[in-house]
Amino acid sequence: MSHPSGQSQTYPQYQSGSGWNAMLPERAPRAAAPPHTRYKHVIIGAGYTGLAAARRLAELQPQERILVLDATAAGEGSAGRNSGFLINLPHNTRMSGHHSPLQVARKQIAMYQSGLDWLAELSERGGFDCGWDIAGKYHAAATKLGRSTLSASLAQYRDWGVAYTELDQDALHEQLGTRYYEFGYHSMNNVFVQPAALIRGLADTLPENVWLMENNPVLAVNGAGPYTVRTRGGDFTADNVVLANNAFARKLGFLRSRLVTIFTYAGVTPVLSPAQLALLGQRDQWGVIPANRLGTTLRRIRGGRFMVRSAYSYEAEQPLERMEQLLRDSFQRRYPELASHDFEYVWSGSTALTGNGASFVGQVRPGLYAAVGCNGAGVIKGTIHGKLLGELIAGRRSPMLDDLEAFEKPNWLPPDPLRRIGVMIAIANQAKKAGLER
């Protein structure tokens, strides 16, 4: 059944397909029913987290059968809708206990580097091309407040021992082709990928004891172990269930007071002419992270396209026509001299935010586990969280798993309508604060 407002009861539905996926050759989804109905592990969600958990469990328990279920096809879910930045630096350095932010940051940097290295190994071993490009990233500010925010970030970089290059307006203009930004910096702590190609490659190179069933949404999880997972394509029984479906874990009745769903929006141009590309700076691929969370992300994509990402909405998609105009306005303000500001693809993607920026990774109840709450940084974080969760389930302890379990957990959020009011006020305040960063 189709549901309005950008989501169904238990999984997201989108107004348009993923532009990243549309740029790739067609792929036949793995939608065939599995040969069994009883599994050791059933994993809900075939994004970076779910596939990482499945792969690690399969490596550690090659004798066990594992089933991964997803509501859509690889490349069309949220894993194929992000901006394709793989940033291996922390976004939140808080932790329960007696650890300083610097200690937490160093643990997170090691953890995320491990996730990035594993993704690189998997793409090389799997033999699929996901456009892997160690190009670094820019952070840029258009306002004095944005400049102050970036200066604070650079103080953290110095504490962490992360190298960077500061850039004034002239240097940014030379490298990005716009005078919109007054201050910024570049660091090498980012890899660009084509996100739909990456998730499709990971889905198509799973170990033999993992069965992936796409286009088969989970409708309910019942029981107390073993669990019955009810799907549109039938029921499956499992000793362990892993929730790797981000905020939609709430729609199945779990972690309801910890997560919210946020939709973000992106537009990608047709392939630009050489004259247009000459106005976009020196490099054939680069990306800009805004100084404010509600600001505009840019990415010049190798091959001649340009991506603009901006705007947030709470729990539901907004009309894409209206969001496309917002994206076009952001594009036009930064590059007024371009002859055209049209998009070939416009789409949204959902992510899960928590009140304090922390993720939940661990056991919800006996036999039921979750790795959710990526807070908009799900490729590397989801990958390493899924891998470590697989190790937790298989009983494989490590210092890195100990670190993950010691990190702060998501705080409690009030129910609607108080939750909605609080989030909407926060979005409005951040949007006002962002100003020209949008």
Short mmCIF file of all heavy atoms in Angstrom, two decimals, residues 303-325:
data_model
loop_
_atom_site.label_atom_id
_atom_site.label_comp_id
_atom_site.label_asym_id
_atom_site.label_seq_id
_atom_site.Cartn_x
_atom_site.Cartn_y
_atom_site.Cartn_z
N GLY A 303 33.59 13.60 -14.39
CA GLY A 303 32.72 13.24 -15.51
C GLY A 303 31.88 14.42 -15.97
O GLY A 303 31.21 14.34 -16.99
N GLY A 304 31.90 15.53 -15.18
CA GLY A 304 31.31 16.76 -15.69
C GLY A 304 29.98 17.18 -15.12
O GLY A 304 29.37 18.13 -15.59
N ARG A 305 29.51 16.51 -14.06
CA ARG A 305 28.26 16.92 -13.42
C ARG A 305 28.56 17.71 -12.15
O ARG A 305 29.68 17.71 -11.64
CB ARG A 305 27.39 15.72 -13.08
CG ARG A 305 26.90 14.92 -14.30
CD ARG A 305 26.05 13.75 -13.84
NE ARG A 305 25.65 12.87 -14.92
CZ ARG A 305 24.54 13.01 -15.63
NH1 ARG A 305 23.69 14.00 -15.35
NH2 ARG A 305 24.24 12.16 -16.58
N PHE A 306 27.51 18.35 -11.63
CA PHE A 306 27.64 19.14 -10.41
C PHE A 306 26.47 18.84 -9.50
O PHE A 306 25.32 18.75 -9.95
CB PHE A 306 27.67 20.64 -10.75
CG PHE A 306 28.14 21.51 -9.61
CD1 PHE A 306 29.48 21.54 -9.25
CD2 PHE A 306 27.25 22.30 -8.90
CE1 PHE A 306 29.93 22.35 -8.21
CE2 PHE A 306 27.68 23.11 -7.86
CZ PHE A 306 29.02 23.13 -7.52
N MET A 307 26.74 18.63 -8.21
CA MET A 307 25.71 18.30 -7.22
C MET A 307 25.54 19.43 -6.22
O MET A 307 26.53 20.02 -5.76
CB MET A 307 26.09 17.02 -6.48
CG MET A 307 25.01 16.52 -5.52
SD MET A 307 25.69 15.56 -4.13
CE MET A 307 26.28 16.89 -3.10
N VAL A 308 24.30 19.71 -5.87
CA VAL A 308 23.96 20.66 -4.82
C VAL A 308 23.06 19.93 -3.83
O VAL A 308 22.06 19.30 -4.23
CB VAL A 308 23.21 21.89 -5.38
CG1 VAL A 308 22.92 22.89 -4.27
CG2 VAL A 308 24.02 22.55 -6.49
N ARG A 309 23.41 20.00 -2.54
CA ARG A 309 22.59 19.33 -1.52
C ARG A 309 22.30 20.32 -0.41
O ARG A 309 23.19 20.99 0.11
CB ARG A 309 23.32 18.11 -0.97
CG ARG A 309 22.42 17.24 -0.08
CD ARG A 309 23.13 16.00 0.43
NE ARG A 309 22.15 15.05 0.93
CZ ARG A 309 21.71 14.00 0.26
NH1 ARG A 309 22.17 13.77 -0.95
NH2 ARG A 309 20.81 13.19 0.76
N SER A 310 21.01 20.41 -0.03
CA SER A 310 20.62 21.35 1.00
C SER A 310 19.23 20.99 1.51
O SER A 310 18.55 20.15 0.95
CB SER A 310 20.62 22.78 0.44
OG SER A 310 20.56 23.73 1.48
N ALA A 311 18.83 21.65 2.61
CA ALA A 311 17.47 21.59 3.17
C ALA A 311 17.22 20.31 3.97
O ALA A 311 17.71 19.23 3.63
CB ALA A 311 16.41 21.75 2.10
N TYR A 312 16.46 20.47 5.04
CA TYR A 312 16.05 19.36 5.90
C TYR A 312 14.54 19.40 6.05
O TYR A 312 13.94 20.48 6.05
CB TYR A 312 16.64 19.54 7.31
CG TYR A 312 18.06 19.09 7.53
CD1 TYR A 312 19.09 19.45 6.68
CD2 TYR A 312 18.37 18.30 8.63
CE1 TYR A 312 20.39 19.06 6.91
CE2 TYR A 312 19.68 17.89 8.87
CZ TYR A 312 20.68 18.28 8.00
OH TYR A 312 21.97 17.88 8.24
N SER A 313 13.92 18.24 6.20
CA SER A 313 12.52 18.19 6.62
C SER A 313 12.33 17.05 7.61
O SER A 313 13.04 16.04 7.55
CB SER A 313 11.57 18.04 5.43
OG SER A 313 11.80 16.83 4.72
N TYR A 314 11.37 17.23 8.50
CA TYR A 314 11.17 16.30 9.61
C TYR A 314 10.15 15.24 9.27
O TYR A 314 9.00 15.55 8.91
CB TYR A 314 10.71 17.10 10.84
CG TYR A 314 10.29 16.26 12.03
CD1 TYR A 314 11.23 15.57 12.78
CD2 TYR A 314 8.95 16.18 12.42
CE1 TYR A 314 10.87 14.81 13.87
CE2 TYR A 314 8.57 15.44 13.53
CZ TYR A 314 9.53 14.75 14.25
OH TYR A 314 9.15 14.00 15.34
N GLU A 315 10.57 13.97 9.31
CA GLU A 315 9.71 12.79 9.24
C GLU A 315 9.01 12.58 7.91
O GLU A 315 8.39 11.54 7.70
CB GLU A 315 8.64 12.82 10.35
CG GLU A 315 9.20 12.64 11.75
CD GLU A 315 9.74 11.24 12.00
OE1 GLU A 315 9.33 10.30 11.31
OE2 GLU A 315 10.59 11.10 12.89
N ALA A 316 9.04 13.53 6.98
CA ALA A 316 8.33 13.37 5.71
C ALA A 316 9.01 14.19 4.63
O ALA A 316 9.60 15.23 4.89
CB ALA A 316 6.88 13.83 5.86
N GLU A 317 8.93 13.67 3.40
CA GLU A 317 9.42 14.43 2.25
C GLU A 317 8.55 15.66 2.02
O GLU A 317 7.33 15.62 2.20
CB GLU A 317 9.35 13.57 0.99
CG GLU A 317 10.54 12.69 0.73
CD GLU A 317 10.42 12.05 -0.65
OE1 GLU A 317 9.39 11.42 -0.92
OE2 GLU A 317 11.36 12.18 -1.45
N GLN A 318 9.18 16.73 1.57
CA GLN A 318 8.46 17.89 1.06
C GLN A 318 8.32 17.75 -0.46
O GLN A 318 9.05 16.98 -1.08
CB GLN A 318 9.22 19.17 1.42
CG GLN A 318 9.31 19.43 2.91
CD GLN A 318 7.93 19.59 3.54
OE1 GLN A 318 7.16 20.43 3.13
NE2 GLN A 318 7.64 18.76 4.54
N PRO A 319 7.39 18.49 -1.08
CA PRO A 319 7.26 18.41 -2.55
C PRO A 319 8.58 18.71 -3.24
O PRO A 319 9.23 19.72 -2.96
CB PRO A 319 6.21 19.48 -2.86
CG PRO A 319 5.41 19.61 -1.60
CD PRO A 319 6.38 19.39 -0.49
N LEU A 320 9.00 17.83 -4.14
CA LEU A 320 10.31 17.97 -4.76
C LEU A 320 10.40 19.23 -5.63
O LEU A 320 11.48 19.79 -5.79
CB LEU A 320 10.65 16.74 -5.59
CG LEU A 320 11.05 15.49 -4.80
CD1 LEU A 320 11.50 14.39 -5.75
CD2 LEU A 320 12.15 15.78 -3.79
N GLU A 321 9.27 19.69 -6.18
CA GLU A 321 9.31 20.91 -7.00
C GLU A 321 9.77 22.09 -6.15
O GLU A 321 10.57 22.92 -6.60
CB GLU A 321 7.93 21.19 -7.59
CG GLU A 321 7.43 20.15 -8.57
CD GLU A 321 6.84 18.92 -7.88
OE1 GLU A 321 6.71 18.94 -6.62
OE2 GLU A 321 6.55 17.93 -8.59
N ARG A 322 9.26 22.18 -4.93
CA ARG A 322 9.65 23.27 -4.05
C ARG A 322 11.10 23.14 -3.61
O ARG A 322 11.85 24.13 -3.57
CB ARG A 322 8.73 23.30 -2.82
CG ARG A 322 9.02 24.45 -1.87
CD ARG A 322 7.79 24.80 -1.06
NE ARG A 322 7.40 23.75 -0.14
CZ ARG A 322 7.91 23.62 1.09
NH1 ARG A 322 8.82 24.46 1.51
NH2 ARG A 322 7.50 22.66 1.87
N MET A 323 11.53 21.92 -3.28
CA MET A 323 12.91 21.72 -2.85
C MET A 323 13.88 21.95 -4.01
O MET A 323 14.98 22.46 -3.81
CB MET A 323 13.08 20.32 -2.27
CG MET A 323 12.08 19.97 -1.17
SD MET A 323 11.82 21.30 0.04
CE MET A 323 13.33 21.22 0.96
N GLU A 324 13.47 21.61 -5.23
CA GLU A 324 14.32 21.86 -6.39
C GLU A 324 14.58 23.35 -6.55
O GLU A 324 15.70 23.76 -6.89
CB GLU A 324 13.66 21.31 -7.66
CG GLU A 324 14.49 21.50 -8.91
CD GLU A 324 13.88 20.84 -10.13
OE1 GLU A 324 12.82 20.21 -10.01
OE2 GLU A 324 14.49 20.95 -11.21
N GLN A 325 13.59 24.18 -6.29
CA GLN A 325 13.78 25.62 -6.39
C GLN A 325 14.77 26.13 -5.34
O GLN A 325 15.59 27.00 -5.61
CB GLN A 325 12.44 26.34 -6.26
CG GLN A 325 12.52 27.84 -6.48
CD GLN A 325 13.20 28.21 -7.80
OE1 GLN A 325 12.82 27.71 -8.86
NE2 GLN A 325 14.22 29.06 -7.74
#
